[in-house]
Amino acid sequence: MTSSPHSAALAFLQTSSLPMLMQEEIERLIMTGELPVGSRINESELSQRFNTSRGPIREALRALEEAGLVRNEKNRGVFVREIAFEEADEIYELREALEEIIGRRVALAIQPDAIERLRAMLEAMRSAALAQDVEQYAQLNLQFHEILLDTAGSRKLTETYKRLVKELHLFRMRALDSGGGLRVSADEHSHIVEAIASGNPDAAGLALRQHVADSRARMHKAFGRTDKPITALTSHPHQKEV
């Protein structure tokens, strides 16, 4: 019995989308820390866990390698990528510029209902900060910035930003967990929302850029670096903090 064109197309769709689904699942394991930085990824275990063959797992790992989340070592296997401090610092510098662009775009485009969503998220972030729930806070933090990114409405900006954020995720979690970082970060997000709600693109852009600069400084502290990160904000003393 021959299959119909419809069933053949459905089978192709299911096969072609499986590696993407596996990529999303493995990425989730990395971002939540279930697959820690530096750990070896066992293809056999993943195929059993997700009840699939190794083919989709391998395709997913190749995509994650291109995304900068894993590395493939010849004759050793695939490992969750470790990012050196210097590389993380460079990424933070790029994020400062991107966040300023996002803030300016969001201040001009955001609607009142979205501002209320952000304020509701702030309350959840404050609760997580009080409970010292780093994982919960980190997830809310990602969601907060995704709302801003969606509101900014730029496909290329979204692609570039998301890659940088994923690479920095584990560094940010460590920095948040030191020196009162959760409480301070929650206050910074409150300042961002008010700057955006003002409708002033300059204020919103600077508030987001300052937030990333402060996060970068916390990373320096968490890693015991005494050198102060150089930013556009510190190099222009005439600029006022909003």
Side-chain angles (χ1 to χ4, degrees):
M1 181 177 177
T2 58
S3 60
S4 67
H6 176 74
S7 60
L10 181 61
F12 174 77
L13 180 61
Q14 291 172 332
T15 303
S16 61
S17 62
L18 187 55
M20 185 177 296
L21 179 61
M22 291 299 96
Q23 179 183 344
E24 291 173 356
E25 286 299 310
I26 297 169
E27 181 178 303
R28 181 184 60 80
L29 296 178
I30 293 172
M31 301 303 278
T32 59
E34 191 169 340
L35 286 174
V37 170
S39 64
R40 185 178 182 277
I41 298 176
N42 190 310
E43 290 183 7
S44 179
E45 287 182 2
L46 289 177
S47 65
Q48 291 177 20
R49 175 172 183 157
F50 298 123
N51 193 28
T52 185
S53 65
R54 290 195 185 187
I57 300 293
R58 288 195 186 111
E59 287 188 50
L61 291 176
R62 280 195 290 268
L64 289 170
E65 184 178 13
E66 291 179 5
L69 293 181
V70 304
R71 70 180 192 280
N72 193 340
E73 294 188 13
K74 190 174 181 180
N75 300 325
R76 291 197 64 212
V78 180
F79 296 80
V80 179
R81 187 168 169 239
E82 296 177 89
I83 298 176
F85 175 89
E86 289 73 19
E87 182 179 357
D89 199 43
E90 288 178 6
I91 295 172
Y92 261 113
E93 188 174 10
L94 292 174
R95 265 199 68 202
E96 287 183 34
L98 291 179
E99 291 281 10
E100 183 169 4
I101 295 170
I102 291 169
R104 295 179 66 85
R105 292 178 68 104
V106 169
L108 295 172
I110 199 163
Q111 298 298 311
D113 61 328
I115 292 175
E116 291 309 309
R117 282 178 63 201
L118 290 174
R119 285 181 172 146
M121 289 198 71
L122 280 175
E123 292 305 311
M125 292 172 80
R126 289 190 186 282
S127 296
L130 285 172
Q132 288 295 301
D133 190 336
V134 178
E135 289 189 11
Q136 175 67 8
Y137 188 93
Q139 289 303 313
L140 289 167
N141 185 40
L142 288 172
Q143 292 170 24
F144 181 96
H145 286 278
E146 281 190 2
I147 292 174
L148 300 187
L149 197 57
D150 289 342
T151 306
S154 169
R155 183 179 62 82
K156 186 56 66 176
L157 181 60
T158 296
E159 290 174 359
T160 305
Y161 180 88
K162 283 190 172 181
R163 172 166 181 144
L164 294 178
V165 165
K166 288 172 184 176
E167 290 181 329
L168 278 174
H169 180 70
L170 295 178
F171 280 89
R172 287 212 318 277
M173 284 188 71
R174 179 170 172 182
L176 283 170
D177 199 24
S178 65
L182 290 179
R183 178 184 53 77
V184 172
S185 179
D187 290 341
E188 290 169 8
H189 282 81
S190 178
H191 180 56
I192 288 167
V193 172
E194 295 313 309
I196 289 171
S198 74
N200 184 328
D202 291 335
L206 191 55
L208 270 161
R209 185 164 196 153
Q210 182 67 59
H211 167 58
V212 178
D214 291 341
S215 297
R216 187 181 175 193
R218 283 193 289 273
M219 183 190 75
H220 275 243
K221 182 178 179 180
F223 282 81
R225 300 292 291 254
T226 57
D227 49 323
K228 187 176 181 181
I230 299 173
T231 71
L233 291 171
T234 58
S235 62
H236 290 82
H238 63 275
Q239 284 187 311
K240 293 182 179 179
E241 181 178 344
V242 295

